[in-house]
Amino acid sequence: MLDLIGRILLWLRGGSLKLLTLAGIILLIWGTLSPVGTLVWWLSQEVESLGFKKNQQKRLPPSNNSNPVKKSSKINCYIIFLTGVGDFSTNELTPGEEVFLDGLDRAHPNCVVVQDVFPYSVANENLGGARLLAPLWRFANEAEGWLGIADVLIKIRNLWRFAISADDRYGPVYNLGIATAIIDRMDAAHPIPQSPGQPIKIIIMGTSGGAQVALAAAPYLNRWLNAELDPQIIIVSIGGVFAGTDGFNVAEDVYHLEGRRDWVEDIGNIVFPSRWPWSVGSPFNQARQQGHYTVHTTGPHAHDGSTGYFGKERVGANDVRYVDLTLQQVNQLPIWSVQQLNEQ
């Protein structure tokens, strides 16, 4: 199969028209079949497990995790990180993303960092897992040299999942699955307190398309956790692209971080009518008018790469890296306790 893939890519070197033709065919096929996996997952679930039964809250996982993260006993915060559309899996974070999450983990000892939710799979399965097309995704992820252009296949595939999350028809089921995965991985990282005695802070950080998934999963998290935990849900978009509908009505605050050289994050303002200024009644514009949505400039960041939000390149002649600027900006957001801020 890999030999066939190599021949196809060799054929594509013959001209840009061939590349555009194949890309168009791939887009049409994936656009047609993308919702199938979501529907299959939904049909395989029990009604009770999804919280669809009338007047029934989703039961939280039992707190019997035998291998939780070793943290302070005063855990009252979870940080869930959702990756961008270029990612292959949750266990292959970029070096910059690892620096960013390690920095958050050290700065906020009362928070647990959850980084193993894959926002482009309703079943939370990495692309290299037990899938029919797993060899293709592994090839695209590992290809080097001029074959490295194959990684665009991963981006196209994940972009369709991003589109499903924002779709009114299939989005509710897809986002329900992501919320289920978030709760499961939260409990795996550290047992979810059954009676915490104080509100639990749920901070979902999404970069690129992960911001859309974070917002869309928020209503389900709020519904399932509200009865027992009274959660405070906060969304942090790091160069995110998102619609202006889901999540804004339940999130306490939504913070959007943007770099001065990032033009990709502007796409959301163009393609989603709910974010247009004259859509005054949309949840996005209502949140902005009420001060629950704010924009913060991080610095001279591009969308991705060595000068992106998680880039490890130095900024000019300074010793500060691009990822350091992002971490500083996140730590300055008014979402941490006063005691924590004084300790930093």
Side-chain angles (χ1 to χ4, degrees), residues 172-231:
V173 174
Y174 185 88
N175 301 320
L176 177 71
I178 299 299
T180 300
I182 288 175
I183 290 179
D184 176 71
R185 303 324 297 164
M186 283 171 55
D187 190 67
H190 189 281
I192 299 175
Q194 301 299 312
S195 301
Q198 60 179 322
I200 293 292
K201 190 171 293 184
I202 311 294
I203 303 172
I204 314 179
M205 298 187 180
T207 178
S208 190
Q212 163 60 35
V213 180
L215 283 161
Y220 300 100
L221 292 173
N222 182 69
R223 180 196 308 171
W224 289 341
L225 299 176
N226 186 60
E228 300 183 43
L229 302 184
D230 187 25

Side-chain angles (χ1 to χ4, degrees), residues 105-126:
D105 190 56
R106 291 193 301 269
H108 310 289
N110 67 314
C111 296
V112 175
V113 175
V114 180
Q115 61 186 47
D116 53 352
V117 177
F118 190 51
Y120 309 107
S121 168
V122 68
N124 200 33
E125 296 179 350
N126 295 327

Side-chain angles (χ1 to χ4, degrees), residues 44 59 63 89-90 121 136 195 207 226 281 302 314 331:
S44 68
R59 182 173 297 178
S63 296
S89 67
T90 54
S121 168
L136 171 64
S195 301
T207 178
N226 186 60
R314 304 289 176 179
N331 282 331

Side-chain angles (χ1 to χ4, degrees), residues 248 269 275-279 282-295:
F248 291 94
N269 289 321
R275 291 188 58 183
W276 296 347
W278 47 86
S279 299
S282 71
F284 167 78
N285 281 309
Q286 288 293 311
R288 183 172 59 177
Q289 293 170 11
Q290 296 168 8
H292 295 299
Y293 172 84
T294 55
V295 178

Side-chain angles (χ1 to χ4, degrees), residues 16-80:
S16 58
L17 180 59
K18 294 179 181 179
L19 178 60
L20 292 174
T21 301
L22 182 61
I25 294 173
I26 291 173
L27 285 171
L28 288 175
I29 294 175
W30 270 329
T32 303
L33 300 180
S34 287
V36 173
T38 299
L39 297 177
V40 169
W41 172 86
W42 175 65
L43 292 172
S44 68
Q45 306 300 305
E46 295 180 358
V47 172
E48 290 81 358
S49 70
L50 296 176
F52 282 157
K53 194 171 182 179
K54 188 176 181 180
N55 299 324
Q56 176 178 316
Q57 293 287 339
K58 181 177 177 67
R59 182 173 297 178
L60 297 182
S63 296
N64 58 0
N65 192 331
S66 60
N67 189 32
V69 175
K70 293 182 179 180
K71 296 282 288 187
S72 167
S73 59
K74 298 181 180 179
I75 294 298
N76 62 357
C77 163
Y78 287 85
I79 301 172
I80 297 95

